[in-house]
């Protein structure tokens, strides 16, 4: 602990002395049984500064934070070595590694508090927001329930939740993810902690909400002068918030530096790989075609960035979606009469050409997944047509429909749930091909499986293994192989890379592009991640509240966004390049509801062609504010 | 309002289930024996003509659907009709049903009172010796046939120590052994359910959040975790009611408990069609109602169902 | 006081008016204001007749209850002797076509209603009329044409046909004298649950399948019962019954299972009391087809089995092996008929002679509810195995066996038959088992047997009858038409505190003289 990662001086303006760290972690080791999950990690945290711990899943970054909280024993792990010296106001200078549970509990939630990744899972579903906020206040401050409630109200105001009094009586399921994360933050800061640990606080949130939450955390830090440990896998997010950074991999420290220092000169190849794998919005400026990610192994670049080498012919469309509307009915009343509709998709029209990637972007509730599900015939349309090679999908006899379900395949977000754990992956991959009669013998099937596995970058001998033996990225490859087994013309990839680590994400995106290059497959790529979309797409459609607000080529959308929503979406994406320049947008914006009373039809957008192929919805002034 | 829709659907379902059960029972019992023969089993000199006369007086010569419709008609008016041998069914059930309910409720409460703390301890000390011990005990409990268990309890508490009555229904003392028998077997299952439900909840993030807030572990478990696992447990316990009734039928016989199980078994032995139909029908309704109540209770505890968002 | 009201509410007003002091005392005792503890006897029996009306049942379980409540014109004691009951004398008139009964005077029913000729006429009119048709008893009494009241204490039975067993039957269930006024007042259904008779005990309360409470009838004509209250509990599970007996929960248990014999013998507080019973256990042959149509085969099977060995090993020696389908007490038993010897060598020879190949499969149908018989069957199976017959045992539901397999002749080569000839008159068994066309006789159709059986039914002459019945028994033995096994003892488990208990061979236990020491 001699090496000081960075000088904290510039933040503590007006302070002349060298400040002492409020938390000094030295040689920390945490073990599950005899396996170390955090191995010899050291770092310092100062007041008013933010330390980012960055790493992919399994790197030990979350365990480190739980070790500080004194909670690793509940995971069955223990701190086996090292110290965590904390300057407590209540207990004086203590080593958290040695602190007995009763004393640790005094600090926990009061001097050191924590925000978790999934706001939806962080609040107890059977207690009201008020109960849960008051609990912390009552434990640590010994105040009455009534006082606590008044204070909870103020806290909700502080995190900018409107109608705070009413919200106190709500249950978690009645709030949106963004609101819940605000509640979590309110809870975490309720005792004005010296240290705030934020474990992936925005990963589960939509991009515009993410921007708001990041802004909120930073504002609160200015008020409370807390030291923040910000745990994330996302370099772009981290680059926006952190002063110092610790990169972890496989439970070990890879690199420790100031944020500027690291960005300017990444020392470890892993760090460089991590940085290059981060899809940077705007990095494609001026480029026409989709582009592969660069890839590094250990020391040198193995695959350079390059353009996708295939030209799309915009002649006959492969798939046409024409004025597609999907509505779900909401039943109410004693007789279960339909009273409302969820207007999940409204008059959606677009076309996909052979060998092309069309992306649909939008936030949760925008209807982007509904469109995908309807094309896959998993949802019933309310009106409109979907035509494949000129034939309407919804008016076909069932034998023809089967052929359609062969030509359009699907890759889902969750590679864990998509594979039957009791089947070998070979059996899973070839199953749809058997169904569609594409293989007729065991031998043929085995050969095809081997071919498919190699196509997605796995080995033929993997066929006899079970899903549990594969990592998330490998499983997604298996799912892609299964989709390929039917020789589809179109693959619908619904958030297909969202659950993957950044470096793995880059590899899978590369695989998608490679398959397009070699097999000529078209993709409908559904995603909330603007940066990935920028990489992979030929054309992009932006959806908002069930309707397309803007559609055009990638360059048209990203370099000349017309619709205010598109602009806001792009502005919300954190980027390394523009670090600390991104201004968080207004705080209140929650996406309006798409549930409407019967007869209350939404206004259908009319489109204006800005340039050739670039359509923008006529936007109401309400949206621009 | 959605709850009302739900309720009416479930009621409809209940009616259907009850109908199906009675129809099956009415059909099956007629297929397997003749009450006239059972009546005269210990008699000599019985001729076919005598049997025919008895059948006629019992109304057994009518076609099946006529007999069944007549039974259903009586059921709808709540009259339930008469047993072949034992007078008005309404009175028989009126005296048997409360006994069965008393036994069921006592056993269930007893079992829940034991299994919740044990299940929680097992879950919290997962993998430790306490957990292993509780799991072994539960497995042992599961492998007892309840008939055997009942006789063992009688042997120990009634014959050897002579502290509890062997059988019958005469005060609180006579409730001890039957409800203990049912409860032991039930607890063996329940402990596992509680353990699993608690383990599920304890691995949830909000539990870790509660700890991170500085909540004492005791309250983390008994406030944050238990309230959540209660949602699952209520469903489990409700679904178990069917099994419980099944077990009670056997236990009632061993302890000569004057309940619905004894009533139904007697009715089977004597091929007392109307009595069997009625008692099975009541038991089926009971199970359906308990499941319905479970669903309602579930929605009361779980705000995600209770409060419409 | 709650109990008083509930007791009163189930009785009718007319009944209440005539309540005797005895009942009042009982009622008071139940209400908790008793001045002294009433003497009490607790009894367990395996099943509940479910209906206490004597003409609605044929169950042995009724016998142990009804015999304490009701009386007939004739009574049969524990020694099976027929003695005057409610009739003091009877004579056969007009070539046996009329029987005149002189009735006992000064007898009253529990409700105070007097016993007289009208009650007798009402009893038999009811039995032979519409009400009797609903129950199983009527068929036993169809030889009676009508009953005529001569005066208050004299009646005459006009007979349709000769019925040699009639006097015995008049001690039977169906002939129990019932009170006309009471039945008319309360109705048939109420009578089923709370009957009234002339016997030493009266019904206090009856909870079907649970318990029947009896109280001493203070106005009984033939002395006074020694114990004031008798509680009869119905406990269907044999093990529970035995547990109650051993724990002192009951003083007397009927229906002792064979499996408990050893336990009871060893128990220090309980006696096992036995008496030769009417029940015979046997197997019958499918005598008209298959290998069992051959008398040699039937004889071979009979002598392949060592009955006494089975009796001692499985039944604790509590019974007698038998040569025909009756016990020693039965009228018509011929002591000179030899029991089957155990001679496996000869059995093999007979089978060989009949051309039965070793290893031939045969089937035995048994009742699945009878554990003891299942064990017996397994031993029989191994005995038959030793002479080269491969016996398969098929256990059937009671009802299926009694209402389908036997009446319709669908049994295997052998089938179980157990019979409680309650009259202790071989006619009762033999006619049913051997006369052609009878329900329980699907296989035997023999003119000689028919003739003999009909002959003995046509006369009251005991000698003629006995001879005919003995001939029937001899013929069956000669032809080996069945495989008789044992005459089982009737067993009672009795606490050592009990005195004055006399075991009844026919399950018609009387508790009048029983005393329980404190």
């Amino acid at each position: 602990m001699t090496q000081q990662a960075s000088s904290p001086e510039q933040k503590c303006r007006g302070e002349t002395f060298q400040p002492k760290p409020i938390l000094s972690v030295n040689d920390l080791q945490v073990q599950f049984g005899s396996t170390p999950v955090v191995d010899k990690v050291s770092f310092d945290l100062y007041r008013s500064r933010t330390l980012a711990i960055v790493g992919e899943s399994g790197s030990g970054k979350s365990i480190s934070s739980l070790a500080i909280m004194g909670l690793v024993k509940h995971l069955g792990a223990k701190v086996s070595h090292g110290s965590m010296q904390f300057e407590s106001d209540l207990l004086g200078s203590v080593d958290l590694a040695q602190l007995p549970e009763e004393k640790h509990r005094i600090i926990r939630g009061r001097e050191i508090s924590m925000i978790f990744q999934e706001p939806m899972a962080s609040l107890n579903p059977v207690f009201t927001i008020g109960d849960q906020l008051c609990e912390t206040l009552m434990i640590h401050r010994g105040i009455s329930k009534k006082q606590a409630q008044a204070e909870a109200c103020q806290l909700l105001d502080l995190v900018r939740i409107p109608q705070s009094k009413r919200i106190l009586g709500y249950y978690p399921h009645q709030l949106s993810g963004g609101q819940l994360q605000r509640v979590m933050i309110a809870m975490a800061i309720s005792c004005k902690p010296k240290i705030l640990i934020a474990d992936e606080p925005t990963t589960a949130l939509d991009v515009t909400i993410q921007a708001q939450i990041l802004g909120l955390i930073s504002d609160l830090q200015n008020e409370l002068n807390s030291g923040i440990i910000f745990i994330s896998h996302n370099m772009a997010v981290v680059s926006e918030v952190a002063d110092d950074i610790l990169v972890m991999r496989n439970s070990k420290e890879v690199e420790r530096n100031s944020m500027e220092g690291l960005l300017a000169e990444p020392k470890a190849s892993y760090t460089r790989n991590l940085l290059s794998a981060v899809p940077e919005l705007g990095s494609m400026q001026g480029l026409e075609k989709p582009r592969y990610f660069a890839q590094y192994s250990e020391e040198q670049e193995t695959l350079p960035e390059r353009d996708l080498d295939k030209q799309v012919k915009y002649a006959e469309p492969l798939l046409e979606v024409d004025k597609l509307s999907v509505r779900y009915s909401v039943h109410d009343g004693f007789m279960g009469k339909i009273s409302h509709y969820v207007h999940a998709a409204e008059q959606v029209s677009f076309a996909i050409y052979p060998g092309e990637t069309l992306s649909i972007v939008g936030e949760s509730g925008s209807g982007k997944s509904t469109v995908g599900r309807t094309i896959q015939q998993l949802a019933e349309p309310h009106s409109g047509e979907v035509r494949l090679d000129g034939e309407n999908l919804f008016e076909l006899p069932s034998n023809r429909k089967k052929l359609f379900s062969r030509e359009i395949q699907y890759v889902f977000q969750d590679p864990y749930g998509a594979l039957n754990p009791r089947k070998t992956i070979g059996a899973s991959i070839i199953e749809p091909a058997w169904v569609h009669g594409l293989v007729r013998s065991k031998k043929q099937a085995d050969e095809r499986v081997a071919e498919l596995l190699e196509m997605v970058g796995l080995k033929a001998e993997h066929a006899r293994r079970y899903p549990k033996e594969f990592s998330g990225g490998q499983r997604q490859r298996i799912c892609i192989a299964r989709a390929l087994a039917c020789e589809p013309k179109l693959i619908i990839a619904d958030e297909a890379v969202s659950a993957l680590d950044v470096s793995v994400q880059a590899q899978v995106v590369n695989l998608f592009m490679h398959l397009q290059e070699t097999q000529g497959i078209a993709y409908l790529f559904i995603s909330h991640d603007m940066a990935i979309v920028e990489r992979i797409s030929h054309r992009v459609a932006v959806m908002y509240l069930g309707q397309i607000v803007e559609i055009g080529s990638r360059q048209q959308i990203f370099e000349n966004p017309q619709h205010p929503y598109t602009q806001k979406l792009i502005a919300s994406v954190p980027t390394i390049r523009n670090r600390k320049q991104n201004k968080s947008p207004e705080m209140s914006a929650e996406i309006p509801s798409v549930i409407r009373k019967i007869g209350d039809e939404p206004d259908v957008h009319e489109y204006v062609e800005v340039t050739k192929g670039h359509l923008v919805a006529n936007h109401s002034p309400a949206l621009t504010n | 309002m959605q709850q009302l829709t739900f309720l009416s659907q479930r009621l409809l379902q209940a009616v259907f289930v009850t109908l199906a059960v009675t129809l099956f029972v009415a059909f099956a019992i007629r297929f397997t024996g003749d009450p006239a023969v059972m009546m005269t089993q210990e008699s000599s000199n019985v001729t076919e003509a005598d049997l025919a006369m008895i059948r006629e007086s019992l109304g057994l010569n009518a076609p099946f659907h006529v007999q069944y419709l007549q039974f259903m008609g009586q059921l709808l008016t709540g009259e339930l009709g008469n047993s072949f041998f034992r007078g008005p069914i309404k009175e028989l059930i009126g005296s048997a049903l409360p006994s069965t309910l008393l036994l069921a409720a006592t056993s269930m409460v007893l079992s829940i009172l034991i299994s919740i703390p044990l299940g929680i301890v097992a879950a919290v000390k997962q993998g430790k010796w306490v957990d292993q011990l509780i799991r072994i005990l539960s497995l042992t409990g599961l492998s007892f046939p309840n008939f055997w268990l009942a006789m063992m309890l009688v042997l120990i508490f009634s014959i050897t120590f002579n502290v509890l009555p062997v059988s019958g229904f005469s005060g609180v003392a006579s409730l001890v052994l039957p409800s203990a028998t049912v409860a032991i077997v039930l607890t063996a299952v329940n402990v596992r359910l509680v353990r699993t439900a608690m383990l599920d909840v304890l691995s949830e993030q909000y539990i870790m959040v509660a700890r991170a807030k500085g909540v004492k572990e005791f309250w983390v478990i008994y406030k944050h975790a238990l309230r959540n696992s209660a949602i699952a447990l209520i469903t489990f316990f409700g679904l178990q009611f069917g099994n419980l009734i099944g077990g009670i039928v056997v236990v009632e016989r061993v302890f000569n408990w004057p309940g619905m199980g004894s009533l139904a078994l007697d009715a089977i032995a004597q091929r007392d069609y109307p009595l069997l139909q009625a008692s099975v029908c009541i038991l089926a309704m009971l199970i359906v109602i308990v499941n319905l109540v479970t669903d309602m209770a579930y929605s009361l505890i779980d705000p995600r169902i209770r409060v419409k968002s | 006081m709650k109990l008083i009201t509930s007791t009163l509410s189930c009785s009718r007003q007319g009944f209440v008016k005539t309540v005797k002091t005895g009942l009042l005392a009982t009622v008071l005792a139940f209400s908790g204001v008793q001045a002294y503890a009433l003497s009490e006897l607790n009894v367990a029996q395996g099943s509940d007749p479910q209906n206490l009306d004597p003409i609605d049942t044929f169950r042995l379980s009724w016998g142990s209850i009804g015999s304490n409540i009701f009386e007939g014109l004739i009574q049969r004691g524990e020694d099976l002797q027929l003695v005057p009951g409610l009739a003091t004398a009877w004579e056969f008139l007009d070539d046996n076509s009329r029987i005149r009964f002189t009735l006992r005077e000064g007898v009253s029913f529990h409700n105070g209603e007097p016993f007289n000729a009208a009650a007798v006429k009402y009893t038999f009119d009811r039995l032979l009329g519409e009400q009797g048709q609903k129950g199983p008893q009527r068929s036993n009494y169809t030889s009676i044409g009508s009953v005529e009241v001569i005066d208050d204490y004299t009646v005459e039975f006009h007979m349709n046909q000769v019925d040699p067993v009639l006097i015995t039957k008049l001690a039977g269930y169906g002939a129990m004298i019932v009170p006309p006024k009471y039945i008319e007042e309360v109705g048939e259904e109420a009578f089923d649950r709370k009957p009234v008779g002339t016997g030493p005990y009266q019904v206090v309360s009856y909870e079907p399948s649970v318990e029947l409470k009896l109280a001493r009838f203070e106005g009984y004509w033939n002395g006074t019962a020694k114990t004031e209250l008798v509680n009869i509990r119905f406990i269907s599970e044999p093990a529970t019954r035995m547990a109650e007996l051993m724990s002192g929960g009951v003083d007397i248990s009927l229906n002792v299972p064979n499996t408990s014999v050893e336990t009871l013998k060893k128990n220090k507080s309980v006696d096992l009391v036995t008496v030769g019973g009417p029940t015979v256990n046997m197997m019958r042959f499918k005598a008209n087809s298959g290998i069992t149509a051959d008398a040699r085969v039937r004889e071979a099977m009979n002598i392949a089995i060592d009955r006494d060995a089975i009796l001692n090993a499985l039944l604790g020696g509590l019974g007698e092996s038998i040569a025909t389908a009756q016990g020693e007490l039965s009228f018509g038993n011929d002591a000179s008929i030899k029991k089957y010897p155990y001679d496996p060598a000869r059995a093999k020879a007979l089978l060989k002679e009949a051309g039965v190949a070793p290893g031939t499969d045969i089937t035995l149908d048994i009742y699945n509810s009878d554990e003891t018989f299942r064990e017996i069957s397994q031993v029989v199976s191994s005995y038959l195995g030793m002479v080269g017959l491969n016996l398969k045992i098929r256990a059937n539901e009671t009802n299926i066996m009694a209402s389908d397999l036997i009446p319709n002749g669908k049994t295997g080569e052998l089938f179980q038959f157990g019979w409680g000839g309650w009259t202790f008159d071989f006619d009762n068994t033999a006619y049913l088992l051997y006369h052609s066309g009878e329900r329980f006789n699907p296989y035997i159709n023999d003119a000689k047997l028919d003739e003999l059986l009909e002959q003995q039914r046509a006369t009251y002459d005991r000698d003629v009858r006995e001879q005919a019945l003995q001939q029937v028994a001899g013929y069956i033995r000669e032809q080996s038409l069945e495989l008789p096994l044992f005459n089982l003892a009737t067993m009672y488990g009795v606490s050592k505190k009990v005195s004055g208990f006399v075991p009844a061979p026919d399950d018609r236990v009387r508790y009048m003289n029983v005393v329980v020491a404190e």
Side-chain angles (χ1 to χ4, degrees), chain C residues 307-420:
Chain C
R307 292 171 173 76
D308 289 322
I310 300 176
L311 193 63
N312 288 324
L314 294 181
L315 303 170
L318 295 170
E320 277 293 323
S321 57
I322 46 173
T324 61
Q326 55 189 331
E328 282 167 20
L329 295 172
S330 169
F331 177 75
N333 187 47
D334 184 351
S336 70
I337 296 177
K338 284 212 180 64
K339 291 177 182 175
Y340 286 100
Y342 174 54
D343 191 349
R346 191 172 130 69
K348 271 191 208 167
L350 279 170
L351 287 172
K352 196 174 176 188
E353 201 183 309
V356 176
T360 300
D361 284 331
I362 51 174
T363 304
L364 162 67
D365 279 301
I366 63 170
Y367 292 91
N368 65 0
S369 53
D370 190 340
E371 277 306 316
T372 311
F373 203 86
R374 191 192 295 265
E375 285 179 30
I376 293 173
S377 305
Q378 276 153 4
V379 180
V380 167
S381 164
S382 62
Y383 274 121
L384 292 181
M386 282 189 262
V387 298
L389 287 172
N390 184 14
L391 181 73
K392 279 190 288 188
I393 300 163
R394 195 161 64 184
N396 303 286
E397 232 263 333
T398 305
N399 214 292
I400 296 193
M401 190 99 169
S403 59
D404 184 27
L405 296 185
I406 298 176
N408 296 326
K410 292 179 183 171
T411 67
E413 284 78 1
L414 280 167
F415 60 101
Q416 175 189 359
F417 207 82
W419 194 248

Side-chain angles (χ1 to χ4, degrees), chain C residues 59-76:
Chain C
R59 296 177 183 278
L60 290 173
S61 58
W62 187 89
S64 50
I65 294 170
S67 308
N68 293 288
I69 303 170
F70 292 102
E71 290 170 308
L73 296 176
I74 313 290
Q75 272 188 32
R76 187 169 71 175

Side-chain angles (χ1 to χ4, degrees), chain A residues 122 124 135 140 171 174 333, chain B residues 5 205 213 224 228 306-307:
Chain A
S122 295
N124 194 324
E135 192 177 27
H140 292 297
Y171 287 93
Q174 293 169 287
Chain B
T5 319
Q205 189 168 296
K213 281 156 78 175
H224 287 265
N228 275 283
R306 181 182 46 184
V307 186

Side-chain angles (χ1 to χ4, degrees), chain B residues 31-48 50-51 53-55 57-58 82 84-88 91-92 95 99 147 151 154-155 158-160 162 164-169 250 252-259 262-263 266-271, chain C residues 48-51 56-61 133-136 138-140 142 169 189 192-193 206-210 233-249 267 367 397-400 402-403 407 419-420 422-423 427-429 431-432 438-440 457:
Chain B
F31 210 63
T32 55
D34 182 346
V37 172
M38 292 308 286
M39 264 173 103
T40 55
Q41 217 196 150
E42 289 166 21
S43 158
S44 56
N45 295 17
V46 175
T47 60
E48 274 304 330
D50 296 325
L51 289 177
M53 242 185 282
I54 294 172
R55 285 192 198 109
S57 73
L58 294 177
N82 282 321
F84 281 162
F85 318 107
R86 301 172 59 178
E91 285 173 28
L92 293 170
S95 82
S99 320
F147 181 88
M151 288 327 296
V154 165
L155 199 62
S158 305
I159 297 181
T160 309
N162 209 354
L164 292 166
V166 176
S167 68
F169 181 25
V250 176
E252 276 186 3
R253 186 177 157 91
V254 178
F255 289 102
N256 221 40
W257 190 261
S262 301
L263 203 62
D266 286 348
I268 291 174
Q270 296 168 337
R271 291 301 186 277
Chain C
D48 177 2
Q50 307 284 7
N51 186 328
D56 285 342
T57 186
F58 227 113
R59 296 177 183 278
L60 290 173
S61 58
Q133 281 187 5
K134 293 181 189 165
R138 181 182 178 274
S139 57
N140 280 311
T142 44
K169 285 178 185 169
E189 266 178 32
D192 291 346
R193 313 280 294 275
Y206 172 49
E207 201 182 332
S209 290
V210 180
R233 290 177 54 197
F234 308 110
I235 303 177
S236 48
E237 187 54 46
T240 310
R241 223 152 49 228
M242 293 303 108
E244 282 285 13
L245 180 65
M246 286 185 275
S247 71
N267 195 291
Y367 292 91
E397 232 263 333
T398 305
N399 214 292
I400 296 193
S403 59
W419 194 248
W422 65 278
T423 54
D427 165 71
N428 192 287
T429 311
Y431 198 89
L432 199 85
E438 285 292 318
R439 254 176 71 75
F440 283 119
R457 274 203 168 181

